[in-house]
Amino acid sequence: MSLQRIVRVSLEHPTSAVCVAGVETLVDIYGSVPEGTETFEVYGTPGVDVYISPSMERSRKPADTRRWHCDEGLEIIVVMNSPSNDLNESHVQISYYSSRKPLPLAYAVLYLTCVDVALDCDLNCEGRENRSFVDKRQWVWGPRGYGAILLVNCDRDDPTCDDQDNCDQCVRCLQDLEDMSVMVLRTQGPAALFDDHRLVLHTSSYDAKRVRVFHACGPEDSCESYRHALGRDKLSYEVPRSHGDEEHFFVEGLSFPDAGFTGLVSFHVTLLDDSNEDFSESPIFTDTVVFRVAPWIMTPSTLPPLEVYVCSVKNNMCFVDAVAELARKAGCKLTICPQAENRNDRWIQDEMELGYVQAPHKTFPVVFDSPRNGELQDFPYKRILGPDFGYVTREPQDSSVCGLDSFGNLEVSPPVVANGREYPLGRILIGGNLPGSSGRRVTQVVRDFLHAQRVQPPVELFVDWLAVGHVDEFLSFVPAPDGKGFRMLLASPGTCFKLFQEKRKWGHGRALLFEGLVGNVRVNTISINQVLSNENLISYNKFVQSCIDWNREVLKRELGLTERDIVDIPQLFKTEKRKAVAFFPDLVNMLVLGKHLGIPKPFGPIVNGRCCLEEKVRSLLEPLGLHCTFIDDFTPYHMLHGEVHCGTNVRRQPFSFKWWHMVP
């Protein structure tokens, strides 16, 4: 942003002015016009471009040797494009004429000193600095967009520190600088100019709460060289003139986009004239840059896995071994949270969601800690937060947290196109109640945070019919080699009843569910015939199917899906306290590791030596190139109203698509 200055010239004394390279200066000549003046001429020394323009028009003409009438309401525009070597080394001369005299009536001289001041950063999101490329005051989304990007410095690069890197006002280790964005102040002009002029870097009180700026004032390999310049209670910083023509600043984000914060922050540098002792400082020029804070981005189950998390509790050793073997097959790391840390809280999916942040110069994962605050509540902060692994959480100030605030109720779709809009990073899925009805809903602070990220616009589904109330109880996504590149799996009582009716027709009505359970599990077996004759079970599952079908239509509309994109997975539910829980282990509540699926073992009816539920799932998913492994989670998870997905978590590769290329 430039301040268009008006400089008034005087006949009695030569006038001096400071020009900023490339910025127009208006010269007011009319207050100095001698009596009898009819015309004037303007002359500029080399390097000074002078234009004449009608004050009410945008057109302009070079001020050549022609004479201009004083009564034409003209403006004189002076532009210099190269910084001066010395003070007052250039000038503009105005000559005033009367038709009655051959020589000028008088002269006015404006002496000029040009200084080049620019605040630069990465403006085009591709790691290049070019201040003439775009308007630095704007931020534009899209493949042809531009604008500087800022990361929230929410990791902990210094292992000796207890807090996140952006919780203090110093640079504790040099690795911390890699998570910041560089801003360069470039200044060229006579050094003597700054005897009575100052450069001030500043921001608003609104933005200062969300960013912090450090000034590199010494050797780059010393943490002590980075001075806290802006942030929180510091709104301005006088730039010292002792380090040369370039001053380097490192900008760190303190806050993610959220309610009341769009994610945009602005920084300004202003050149102030302090040469007149009788007046206060006056601004000559201001340059501005705008940064956008990078959003937190979720990763869908269709992205390649990097690391699997699981808790070790007193009765799940076989489960942990099965997850470890699946991780080995998928070629990803396994992290086990020991019982001493989880205190028998096994629901690691509910405790956290793993995503990432990205700028052109840096990408790192960030764990979003849910507000459920079970016995696992310390794990994300104490064990996951670390070098290049960030942390964020949102907790309501009141006690409004409910079961829906666990992050089994927070999923994200693969990339989709819906209603003419592209969602190259997918859409977040959260569960709540029916529109306009009372019931459980995700706490407002979490919903505000998710909506504010903008790049994965949330879709709210109906889950209040479920006892636990999580979207992962009735849907999941798996990769596919055709179509949209994925399939959405939906739990389907209708498909299950159809399968059982088919098996009964072929003489297998006496086959039993839960027959293969061993150990101390006390569950009564039930035959296919008994299931199909249980009117209460049939009636309740019709209700469940209607709830899932309601969500099915929402998902088809909001994700742009067709029936070919959906696979119905056989599943039955039963009622507990008027809410639904899985009748047998919930097959869609699975762990997806690339082509390897860890599916809850359903202990379904054995037909021809095989579980007919497992065989049905294999027939639906293996043609997609997927490998189904059925994991026994009955005692440690299913009987506690959870399954394989609830007991695991996965860090995945980021999208190859850059978030700033999309149009929200």
Side-chain angles (χ1 to χ4, degrees), residues 45 63 86 107 119 140 143 170 186 191 193 219 239 260 269 275 339 415 449 463 558 595 602:
T45 55
D86 298 302
Y107 300 94
L119 201 55
V140 178
C170 63
R186 294 186 171 93
L193 176 72
V239 182
V269 64
S275 60
Q339 189 171 355
F449 176 83
V463 302
E558 298 298 331
K595 293 183 178 181

Side-chain angles (χ1 to χ4, degrees), residues 13-307:
H13 304 286
T15 306
S16 295
V18 175
C19 292
V20 177
V23 179
E24 298 176 357
T25 300
L26 300 183
V27 182
D28 179 9
I29 65 170
Y30 295 102
S32 302
V33 174
E35 186 176 351
T37 298
E38 298 172 4
T39 59
F40 66 89
E41 290 180 356
V42 183
Y43 163 79
T45 55
V48 180
D49 296 326
V50 184
Y51 302 93
I52 304 295
S53 173
S55 58
M56 302 302 292
E57 299 179 14
R58 293 187 177 182
S59 61
R60 63 180 65 182
K61 297 179 181 179
D64 49 23
T65 56
R66 63 177 287 188
R67 294 185 182 180
W68 302 85
H69 286 280
C70 282
D71 57 357
E72 292 183 2
L74 301 178
E75 290 180 342
I76 298 178
I77 301 171
V78 175
V79 180
M80 297 183 70
N81 292 308
S82 299
S84 303
N85 294 315
D86 298 302
L87 293 176
N88 300 325
E89 73 172 9
S90 302
H91 71 268
V92 170
Q93 178 176 291
I94 302 103
S95 303
Y96 299 94
Y97 290 92
S98 168
S99 60
R100 295 186 292 273
K101 294 185 179 181
L103 298 177
L105 298 177
Y107 300 94
V109 178
L110 174 63
Y111 287 97
L112 300 172
T113 303
C114 182
V115 61
D116 191 2
V117 177
L119 201 55
D120 287 338
C121 53
D122 175 12
L123 297 172
N124 53 18
C125 304
E126 300 299 340
R128 299 186 302 272
E129 294 178 6
N130 186 348
R131 62 180 172 171
S132 63
F133 181 68
V134 293
D135 183 353
K136 296 180 290 187
R137 298 168 295 177
Q138 303 295 323
W139 209 98
V140 178
W141 293 87
R144 297 184 179 179
Y146 54 83
I149 293 172
L150 184 62
L151 294 174
V152 176
N153 190 16
C154 57
D155 65 343
R156 182 170 57 203
D157 289 315
D158 183 358
T160 66
C161 181
D162 293 331
D163 294 325
Q164 294 166 262
D165 288 341
N166 60 5
C167 290
D168 54 34
Q169 298 181 355
C170 63
V171 175
R172 290 187 174 270
C173 65
L174 296 178
Q175 290 79 7
D176 196 18
L177 297 171
E178 298 174 4
D179 302 334
M180 304 183 194
S181 295
V182 178
M183 185 167 62
V184 181
L185 172 60
R186 294 186 171 93
T187 308
Q188 289 182 287
L193 176 72
F194 294 95
D195 292 342
D196 49 21
H197 290 76
R198 295 194 302 135
L199 279 171
V200 176
L201 186 71
H202 55 103
T203 189
S204 67
S205 58
Y206 175 87
D207 289 346
K209 298 175 183 177
R210 296 164 174 87
V211 291
R212 187 176 291 120
V213 179
F214 296 97
H215 182 201
C217 298
E220 295 182 358
D221 59 352
S222 171
C223 291
E224 289 72 24
S225 298
Y226 298 91
R227 181 187 304 170
H228 178 214
L230 296 178
R232 299 295 187 190
D233 56 344
K234 288 190 174 184
L235 305 185
S236 63
Y237 174 74
E238 182 175 349
V239 182
R241 292 295 303 164
S242 58
H243 301 102
D245 294 339
E246 285 194 1
E247 300 292 336
H248 289 79
F249 297 88
F250 291 83
V251 188
E252 70 173 350
L254 307 181
S255 304
F256 281 96
D258 212 329
F261 176 43
T262 64
L264 293 176
V265 292
S266 299
F267 296 102
H268 320 275
V269 64
T270 295
L271 178 63
L272 294 171
D273 184 353
D274 195 25
S275 60
N276 195 321
E277 297 180 356
D278 298 327
F279 301 100
S280 60
E281 296 173 308
S282 61
I284 294 176
F285 171 77
T286 297
D287 199 17
T288 297
V289 294
V290 172
F291 284 83
R292 179 174 291 280
V293 176
W296 178 77
I297 301 173
M298 285 183 65
T299 51
S301 58
T302 51
L303 286 174
L306 297 175
E307 183 174 7

Side-chain angles (χ1 to χ4, degrees), residues 493-556:
T495 298
C496 190
F497 282 126
K498 184 178 179 180
L499 174 67
F500 285 180
Q501 288 165 354
E502 178 184 290
K503 298 307 176 185
R504 181 177 66 176
K505 178 181 177 181
W506 291 100
H508 302 291
R510 295 183 180 180
L512 299 175
L513 280 85
F514 311 129
E515 186 178 24
L517 285 169
V518 295
N520 297 322
V521 182
R522 296 182 180 180
V523 177
N524 294 326
T525 58
I526 182 171
S527 69
I528 289 177
N529 287 336
Q530 288 174 310
V531 168
L532 295 178
S533 62
N534 189 327
E535 293 299 329
N536 289 335
L537 185 65
I538 292 172
S539 176
Y540 189 73
N541 275 276
K542 286 182 179 178
F543 161 73
V544 169
Q545 187 68 65
S546 70
C547 295
I548 294 174
D549 288 344
W550 191 92
N551 287 305
R552 184 191 201 98
E553 294 307 311
V554 172
L555 289 160
K556 287 168 66 176

Side-chain angles (χ1 to χ4, degrees), residues 399-597:
S399 58
S400 61
V401 173
C402 69
L404 271 63
D405 294 306
S406 297
F407 282 171
N409 193 33
L410 175 60
E411 300 298 324
V412 65
S413 79
V416 293
V417 178
N419 305 310
R421 287 190 59 187
E422 294 187 19
Y423 300 94
L425 302 175
R427 299 191 70 178
I428 287 172
L429 307 176
I430 55 174
N433 50 25
L434 284 173
S437 66
S438 59
R440 295 172 296 171
R441 201 177 184 201
V442 175
T443 188
Q444 187 70 46
V445 292
V446 171
R447 282 186 285 126
D448 287 344
F449 176 83
L450 297 174
H451 280 276
Q453 307 314 304
R454 298 190 65 184
V455 295
Q456 298 173 307
V459 177
E460 195 158 353
L461 302 175
F462 174 39
V463 302
D464 200 29
W465 52 278
L466 288 156
V468 176
H470 294 174
V471 294
D472 68 354
E473 295 180 79
F474 68 91
L475 72 81
S476 60
F477 296 92
V478 295
D482 58 359
K484 292 181 171 65
F486 68 90
R487 296 290 190 275
M488 182 175 71
L489 311 185
L490 287 181
S492 174
T495 298
C496 190
F497 282 126
K498 184 178 179 180
L499 174 67
F500 285 180
Q501 288 165 354
E502 178 184 290
K503 298 307 176 185
R504 181 177 66 176
K505 178 181 177 181
W506 291 100
H508 302 291
R510 295 183 180 180
L512 299 175
L513 280 85
F514 311 129
E515 186 178 24
L517 285 169
V518 295
N520 297 322
V521 182
R522 296 182 180 180
V523 177
N524 294 326
T525 58
I526 182 171
S527 69
I528 289 177
N529 287 336
Q530 288 174 310
V531 168
L532 295 178
S533 62
N534 189 327
E535 293 299 329
N536 289 335
L537 185 65
I538 292 172
S539 176
Y540 189 73
N541 275 276
K542 286 182 179 178
F543 161 73
V544 169
Q545 187 68 65
S546 70
C547 295
I548 294 174
D549 288 344
W550 191 92
N551 287 305
R552 184 191 201 98
E553 294 307 311
V554 172
L555 289 160
K556 287 168 66 176
R557 180 179 68 250
E558 298 298 331
L559 301 184
L561 304 180
T562 66
E563 286 298 323
R564 289 175 296 180
D565 305 316
I566 303 172
V567 177
D568 291 305
I569 301 296
Q571 187 64 48
L572 294 181
F573 294 82
K574 61 184 179 180
T575 179
E576 288 190 8
K577 298 180 180 179
R578 303 185 67 182
K579 299 289 185 179
V581 297
F583 184 69
F584 52 80
D586 192 349
L587 291 161
V588 298
N589 194 281
M590 64 178 66
L591 173 62
V592 181
L593 300 179
K595 293 183 178 181
H596 297 275
L597 309 180

